[in-house]
Amino acid sequence: MTYCEVILLEPVQRQINDITPIEPEEVQAAKLINTMHIFSKINIGTVLGKLSQTEYLVIYFVRKHGEYDGHCNNGVNVTSLSEVLGVSTPAVSRILRSLEEKGFIRRITNSKNRRETYISLTDTGRQIYLQDRETASLLYKAVEEKIGKDEVRELVRLSLSFNRIMCEEIERINLSRTNSI
């Protein structure tokens, strides 16, 4: 039995489906936290070839937004990766080090501003990305076939909105706790 099969056993699935407006907020909050926990355990990296889930996103972002050509300020740098991934620049540097050690990327220092480092894919990195992109597309198509294109889009929209709201509220609560001390 896989982890996904264990986590989505009938009682848990029934619990998630049973959210009703008349339940106490405490129960709804627990179900929401449980659902977030379930989502966090999904690891697409287990089916990707040689990339982790985060490494895939880094390479995807570099491919989508252009590689640094060494002559002007286009391309993806560490700061932009940090912002899009929602992680610290030291965390991005660790991911990039791993990708560099695997031979999938090159880091290039901007000749005009030596503090800026840009990312470029190697030929191997491009090949690995194309292979893993196919796997990611197959996963997307499978989900889309089972729940529908509109539902997938709505899930993405709601997830992004949910994430933004949760981050804002967590920050607000933490700030109010800090100010009350």
Side-chain angles (χ1 to χ4, degrees), residues 109-120:
T109 303
N110 182 344
S111 59
K112 296 176 185 173
N113 181 353
R114 302 204 47 81
R115 291 178 296 167
E116 285 187 329
T117 302
Y118 288 88
I119 315 312
S120 181

Side-chain angles (χ1 to χ4, degrees), residues 68-133:
Y68 184 64
D69 63 11
H71 300 293
C72 56
N73 287 338
N74 64 340
V76 175
N77 62 24
V78 174
T79 303
S80 61
L81 284 172
S82 174
E83 290 169 0
V84 77
L85 294 174
V87 297
S88 67
T89 52
V92 169
S93 292
R94 283 190 297 277
I95 296 163
L96 294 176
R97 189 175 320 114
S98 171
L99 288 168
E100 199 169 30
E101 288 170 359
K102 294 175 182 179
F104 299 158
I105 65 154
R106 281 186 306 275
R107 289 193 253 189
I108 304 162
T109 303
N110 182 344
S111 59
K112 296 176 185 173
N113 181 353
R114 302 204 47 81
R115 291 178 296 167
E116 285 187 329
T117 302
Y118 288 88
I119 315 312
S120 181
L121 301 180
T122 63
D123 289 340
T124 304
R126 286 184 197 90
Q127 290 172 335
I128 293 299
Y129 171 74
L130 292 174
Q131 292 168 7
D132 285 355
R133 182 181 70 178

Side-chain angles (χ1 to χ4, degrees), residues 7 32-43 53 155 159:
I7 218 165
L32 180 62
I33 291 168
N34 186 44
T35 301
M36 291 174 7
H37 175 72
I38 290 169
F39 269 109
S40 74
K41 295 298 179 185
I42 297 171
N43 184 359
Q53 191 167 307
L155 175 62
S159 295

Side-chain angles (χ1 to χ4, degrees), residues 6-18 34 38:
V6 170
I7 218 165
L8 292 176
L9 292 174
E10 186 61 30
V12 173
Q13 190 62 48
R14 191 172 44 247
Q15 175 190 4
I16 292 167
N17 291 337
D18 287 344
N34 186 44
I38 290 169

